[in-house]
Amino acid sequence: MLDLILCVDDDPITLMLCKMVISRSDFAKEIITAQNGEEALHYFDDLKLNNLGNDINKYPLLIFLDLNMPVMGGWEFLDHFSKEEYRTQFKDCKVIVLSSTIDPDDINKAKTYPMVLDFLSKPISKEMLEDLKTILT
């Protein structure tokens, strides 16, 4: 079981479903949410400001990330989060892209980001989480 995960999605129903499925499957102790990539980056920036970026117990080791969001989408978030300033402090943080699209171009593009573990189709399910447990351990 992970201590902390972050779900980034602009749809409140998707976030609620994500939290519910994760809670029921004992996948993580704590689930935090952000409504877009910019909000998620602010979260990590706050961790850096408070010198918590080097403490693996203080940041999420897994992010479930939607691609299509207003303000800052998933691709833009990944571009920022790939920069050295984030990767050096949050190197253990991995990303699962959760999207309603199954466009092969999106899947291939996601593979170019080293922190992306997988590309899954929404909605998240207990079975998906069971499969992820084997990848993460």
Side-chain angles (χ1 to χ4, degrees):
M1 177 185 295
L2 297 173
D3 286 331
L4 178 64
I5 61 169
L6 171 63
C7 296
V8 185
D9 199 301
D10 62 313
D11 179 26
I13 294 170
T14 299
L15 288 175
M16 181 187 70
L17 178 65
C18 197
K19 288 175 84 169
M20 186 178 68
V21 171
I22 291 167
S23 295
R24 288 186 178 169
S25 65
D26 292 327
F27 187 77
K29 293 177 186 172
E30 185 178 355
I31 305 146
I32 55 174
T33 61
Q35 294 185 342
N36 58 60
E38 184 177 78
E39 213 176 276
L41 282 179
H42 285 312
Y43 170 78
F44 284 101
D45 289 340
D46 286 345
L47 289 174
K48 287 192 313 184
L49 283 174
N50 293 310
N51 292 319
L52 299 174
N54 293 320
D55 186 348
I56 197 167
N57 298 314
K58 300 293 183 191
Y59 67 84
L61 293 182
L62 185 65
I63 301 170
F64 287 107
L65 179 68
D66 184 27
L67 293 178
N68 300 311
M69 297 175 285
V71 183
M72 180 188 286
W75 295 126
E76 195 175 352
F77 170 82
L78 286 170
D79 288 341
H80 285 282
F81 203 63
S82 296
K83 292 180 181 175
E84 188 175 338
E85 66 181 287
Y86 291 101
R87 294 317 307 154
T88 53
Q89 285 196 304
F90 307 109
K91 64 183 178 291
D92 296 309
C93 186
K94 302 297 181 191
V95 177
I96 301 291
V97 175
L98 259 185
S99 182
S100 51
T101 179
I102 51 169
D103 182 340
D105 290 338
D106 285 343
I107 295 168
N108 289 330
K109 184 176 179 179
K111 290 178 184 176
T112 66
Y113 294 92
M115 78 284 294
V116 174
L117 288 179
D118 209 344
F119 189 107
L120 301 174
S121 183
K122 286 182 185 179
I124 195 167
S125 69
K126 194 171 183 174
E127 293 77 21
M128 284 179 185
L129 295 176
E130 290 300 321
D131 290 343
L132 284 175
K133 283 180 185 177
T134 60
I135 293 171
L136 295 169
T137 53

